[in-house]
């Protein structure tokens, strides 16, 4: 193993863009669930070629698959998955470290939970840690903290985590690696460019890989959020030579065109959803008020879903069931329900509402 003193570190530039790359379980493991050394070696080789140009975050699934062989009579229960993840995480990170080391690149492990994104102060501490790693030329390898996080093992998991990091950190690009190499149309051909995510959900099959928990629907859902926040999203594979590099350059995979956004760093974090605790549906008058940067009043709320406290993040839906904003609640869900007919009862202040 190389020592830091044996490496020539680059002088990092603050202006270097942030790149988040997420590798799904099926894209980096063998059918048995064990890590595919050849794929991880290729990831290290290709990422090393762009390391000097970006501040890189790698979000990697595969810990459960890497560790399940060590759990006797493995049946895939929640407790067994947690145990497998606790074994698999160091094994997986060790593999990344071994393949990056010959490239004179060090990696660090970061296990994240949703609470790291729900609280602004905790999120800023996470960001400061990553910036320190980048200043020392180190690439963070991120995964869900599966050992203590039961919710994240059940659905989108690392697709969501990668998006929260990309949106909150203001990444230039977000890349999702899949086993199929991109979004496929009805003929099984990769769609090269997508400008409206809503129009391509019809191509998504509901099945998912045997080993993974996410799927293309998950990726498109979070790609839609990232694109709204002016982040370039690419869905690609690792099945052809230099496919990661080619996808980053727009020559492979599916490119989802980013929108435009002038949100502040704080509002990008808020707009990412962090940890959504509830949902409000509002009438047409309230929707128009929000579009004019007005606060949300209780008289415009038609439905309250979930239980949340003051200060927690909520989603706001239009009368047509379209999510149009996220906000930090000024009042509890109980208080809002009790004051739906009360004039001038403020549910969320304009400064705490991010339109999507």
């Amino acid at each position: 193993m190389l020592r830091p003193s044996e490496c020539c570190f680059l002088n990092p530039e603050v202006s270097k863009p942030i790149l988040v790359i997420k590798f799904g379980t099926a894209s980096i493991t063998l059918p048995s669930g064990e890590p595919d050394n050849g794929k991880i070696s290729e990831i290290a080789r290709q990422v090393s070629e762009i390391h000097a140009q970006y501040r890189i975050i790698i979000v990697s699934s595969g810990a459960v698959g890497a560790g399940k062989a060590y759990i006797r009579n493995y049946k895939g229960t929640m407790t067994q998955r947690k145990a497998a993840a606790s074994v698999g995480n160091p094994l997986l990170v060790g593999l990344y470290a071994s393949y990056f080391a010959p490239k004179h690149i060090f990696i660090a492990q970061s296990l994240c939970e949703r609470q790291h994104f729900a609280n602004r102060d905790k999120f800023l501490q996470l960001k400061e840690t990553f910036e320190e790693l980048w200043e020392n030329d180190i690439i963070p390898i991120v995964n869900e903290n599966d050992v203590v996080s039961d919710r994240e093992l059940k659905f989108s998991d690392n697709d969501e985590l990668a998006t929260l990091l990309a949106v909150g950190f203001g990444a230039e690009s977000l890349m999702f690696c899949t086993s199929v190499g991109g979004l496929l149309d009805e003929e099984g051909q990769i769609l090269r460019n997508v400008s409206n995510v809503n129009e391509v959900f019809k191509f998504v099959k509901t099945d998912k890989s045997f080993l993974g928990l996410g799927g293309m629907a998950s990726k498109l859902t979070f790609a839609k959020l990232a694109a709204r926040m002016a982040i370039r999203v690419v869905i690609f594979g690792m099945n052809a030579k230099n496919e990661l590099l080619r996808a980053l350059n727009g020559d492979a995979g599916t490119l989802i065109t980013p929108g435009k956004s002038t949100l502040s760093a704080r509002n990008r974090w808020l707009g990412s959803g962090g940890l959504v605790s509830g949902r409000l549906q509002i009438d047409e008058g309230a929707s128009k008020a929000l579009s004019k940067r007005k606060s949300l009043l209780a008289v415009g709320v038609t439905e309250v879903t979930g239980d949340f406290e003051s200060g927690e993040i909520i989603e706001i839906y239009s009368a047509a069931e379209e999510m149009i904003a996220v906000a930090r609640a000024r009042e509890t869900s109980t208080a809002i329900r009790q004051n739906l007919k009360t004039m001038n009862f403020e549910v969320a202040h304009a400064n705490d509402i991010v339109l999507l």
Side-chain angles (χ1 to χ4, degrees):
M1 186 72 176
L2 292 171
R3 297 178 181 176
S5 60
E6 296 173 317
C7 296
C8 296
F9 292 105
L10 297 171
N11 182 20
E13 298 178 10
V14 176
S15 60
K16 285 199 299 185
I18 295 172
L19 170 63
V20 179
I21 314 173
K22 185 264 179 177
F23 294 97
T25 301
S27 64
I28 61 167
T29 57
L30 301 169
S32 63
E34 298 174 357
D36 186 331
N37 287 23
K39 289 287 179 63
I40 295 176
S41 173
E42 267 302 293
I43 290 170
R45 183 186 68 80
Q46 294 183 55
V47 169
S48 69
E49 293 192 24
I50 56 174
H51 183 223
Q53 301 156 35
Y54 292 92
R55 290 172 287 171
I56 297 171
I57 299 172
I58 292 177
V59 179
S60 179
S61 302
V64 175
K68 70 177 186 178
Y70 298 87
I71 307 302
R72 298 189 187 95
N73 302 314
Y74 183 81
K75 304 293 184 184
T77 66
M78 182 63 69
T79 301
Q80 286 180 324
R81 290 182 64 83
K82 289 174 180 289
S86 67
V87 175
N89 263 317
L91 293 175
L92 193 61
V93 170
L95 276 178
Y96 277 109
S98 67
Y99 287 113
F100 271 107
K103 316 296 182 186
H104 303 276
I105 297 173
F106 288 90
I107 60 97
Q109 182 180 41
S110 176
L111 298 177
C112 293
E113 302 169 34
R114 289 179 69 92
Q115 62 174 320
H116 296 145
F117 299 90
N119 181 284
R120 178 68 174 163
D121 290 336
K122 287 184 178 180
F123 175 76
L124 290 176
Q125 290 175 23
L126 178 68
K127 190 170 186 288
E128 288 173 0
T129 300
F130 277 39
E131 288 173 346
E132 185 67 28
L133 291 172
W134 289 326
E135 286 181 9
N136 288 276
D137 231 19
I138 298 170
I139 297 176
I141 307 286
V142 186
N143 197 357
E144 285 285 347
N145 191 359
D146 293 336
V147 176
V148 298
S149 180
D150 55 351
R151 181 183 178 189
E152 293 311 310
L153 279 170
K154 296 179 182 177
F155 65 106
S156 308
D157 67 289
N158 283 335
D159 292 333
E160 182 175 18
L161 173 57
T163 306
L164 290 173
L165 288 166
V167 174
F169 284 20
E172 177 186 84
S173 298
L174 168 62
M175 302 181 72
F176 290 115
C177 182
T178 73
S179 57
V180 295
L183 176 62
L184 306 182
D185 63 16
E186 293 170 320
E187 283 74 44
Q189 300 299 310
I190 293 177
L191 289 169
R192 298 288 291 112
N193 291 279
V194 173
S195 58
N196 187 336
V197 174
N198 289 331
E199 294 178 352
V200 296
F201 269 100
K202 62 184 179 183
F203 297 125
V204 177
K205 295 181 180 180
T206 56
D207 59 337
K208 57 195 176 187
S209 67
F210 174 73
L211 295 168
L213 286 176
M216 193 58 72
S218 164
K219 289 168 182 59
L220 285 179
T221 297
F222 294 112
K224 181 179 178 181
L225 170 61
R228 280 174 172 169
M229 298 293 173
I231 297 172
R232 178 176 178 267
V233 181
V234 182
I235 301 174
F236 73 107
M238 288 288 292
N239 301 315
K241 184 177 177 60
N242 292 325
E243 197 163 355
L244 188 160
L245 297 174
R246 291 172 54 236
L248 182 60
N249 289 331
D251 299 324
T254 301
L255 170 64
I256 297 175
T257 307
K260 295 181 179 180
S261 176
T262 57
L263 295 178
S264 65
R266 175 186 177 278
N267 281 352
R268 281 201 309 270
W269 164 78
L270 181 60
S272 72
L275 182 60
V276 174
S277 301
R279 162 179 165 163
L280 302 179
Q281 187 165 353
I282 62 176
D283 60 27
E284 188 174 345
S287 294
K288 290 180 179 178
L290 294 193
S291 68
K292 296 177 181 177
R293 304 303 308 153
K294 300 290 183 66
S295 296
L296 177 61
L297 304 180
V299 292
V301 177
T302 58
E303 185 178 345
V304 181
T305 303
D307 297 314
F308 50 88
E309 300 297 322
S310 173
E312 292 188 327
I313 299 173
I314 54 175
E315 296 173 336
I316 301 176
Y317 282 75
S318 69
E321 294 284 338
E322 179 183 3
M323 188 169 74
I324 59 173
V326 293
R328 182 174 290 281
R330 194 177 183 91
E331 301 287 346
T332 67
S333 55
T334 300
I336 296 170
R337 289 188 180 99
Q338 292 173 346
N339 289 275
L340 290 181
K341 303 299 182 182
T342 303
M343 298 298 294
N344 298 322
F345 187 87
E346 193 173 72
V347 171
H349 191 273
N351 291 340
D352 291 326
I353 300 173
V354 176
L355 300 178
L356 300 177

